[in-house]
Amino acid sequence: GITGLSYWHNGLKQLSANKPLLLPKDARGLKFRVQASAVLEEQFKAVRANPRKMSFAEVYQGLQTGVVNGAENPYSNIYSQKMHEVQPYITESNHGLLDYMVITNTKFWTGLPEDVRSELSSIMAEVTVEVNKQADALNQGDKQRILDAKTSEITVLNAEQRAAWRDAMKPVWQKFEGEIGVDLIKAAEAANQAQ
């Protein structure tokens, strides 16, 4: 088995497209690049968009040629991959988190002396705070660089628009509640309402 030690994030995901995306109906018929994930596929199907699995390295060309019309990425990915050059509209949706999990083999982890595990856990917690702080700063800086480039219009959703997107995603939550767990979904929903 494996043991999760920490979650590091690359940033909150934003929607980019060749048209403004303010409400779920705006995504209808668009082809969105998605990672290989059943949840992400269902997320776009819920708004009647067409999810297309595509490697990250192919996204810029796919957006440029119209193979896909939109994508979801943190600002750091949008900027570093120059997606803002081929996506005139970005919706600051903060609809997901692109993160990484630090894991270890459970047998190895439990075989370590308790004091070593405790010290490593403490170090991981400290590093996680710093890495996540740096990721947030990188994303804010890249958002500003996108604004400065004047190639994309960034729209921040208002409370009603955000609620409409959440409502559109509820069937997806229900579909995966057996795999994810009702408690986790309720906790996420409570966190969403607080924002």
Side-chain angles (χ1 to χ4, degrees), residues 1 17 21 23 100 103 111 116 122 142 166 183:
L21 300 174
L23 293 168
Y100 307 97
I103 60 172
V116 172
S122 178
D142 284 346
R166 284 185 188 133
D183 290 346

Side-chain angles (χ1 to χ4, degrees), residues 140-160:
Q140 287 309 307
D142 284 346
K143 175 185 176 182
Q144 188 57 54
R145 284 183 266 287
I146 291 166
L147 287 168
D148 293 345
K150 297 182 180 359
T151 55
S152 297
E153 178 183 317
I154 297 176
T155 302
V156 178
L157 296 176
N158 64 33
E160 287 107 26

Side-chain angles (χ1 to χ4, degrees), residues 9-61:
H9 68 255
N10 188 26
L12 290 166
K13 291 194 288 185
Q14 317 304 338
L15 292 169
S16 68
N18 61 0
K19 63 181 268 194
L21 300 174
L22 302 178
L23 293 168
K25 66 179 180 154
D26 299 328
R28 266 185 213 151
L30 295 183
K31 297 169 285 189
F32 279 88
R33 179 270 173 169
V34 296
Q35 295 173 279
S37 161
V39 174
L40 297 181
E41 282 187 68
E42 291 300 323
Q43 164 185 290
F44 285 101
K45 286 179 183 176
V47 294
R48 297 187 184 158
N50 301 305
R52 301 279 169 91
K53 293 178 193 169
M54 178 182 286
S55 75
F56 188 61
E58 298 175 64
V59 178
Y60 179 90
Q61 186 175 8

Side-chain angles (χ1 to χ4, degrees), residues 74-140:
Y75 283 118
S76 61
N77 285 4
I78 294 170
Y79 183 75
S80 69
Q81 299 302 305
K82 302 182 188 301
M83 292 177 206
H84 63 291
E85 295 177 357
V86 291
Q87 292 280 260
Y89 300 97
I90 298 170
T91 300
E92 188 166 298
S93 53
N94 295 331
H95 67 277
L97 184 66
L98 183 59
D99 56 10
Y100 307 97
M101 182 166 44
V102 180
I103 60 172
T104 185
N105 178 285
T106 301
K107 188 175 179 182
F108 166 77
W109 183 250
T110 57
L112 293 172
E114 177 56 38
D115 61 327
V116 172
R117 272 195 319 237
S118 178
E119 185 65 21
L120 285 174
S121 292
S122 178
I123 291 167
M124 286 301 298
E126 188 178 323
V127 170
T128 297
V129 169
E130 185 57 31
V131 167
N132 290 345
K133 191 188 304 179
Q134 289 177 16
D136 290 340
L138 175 65
N139 277 289
Q140 287 309 307

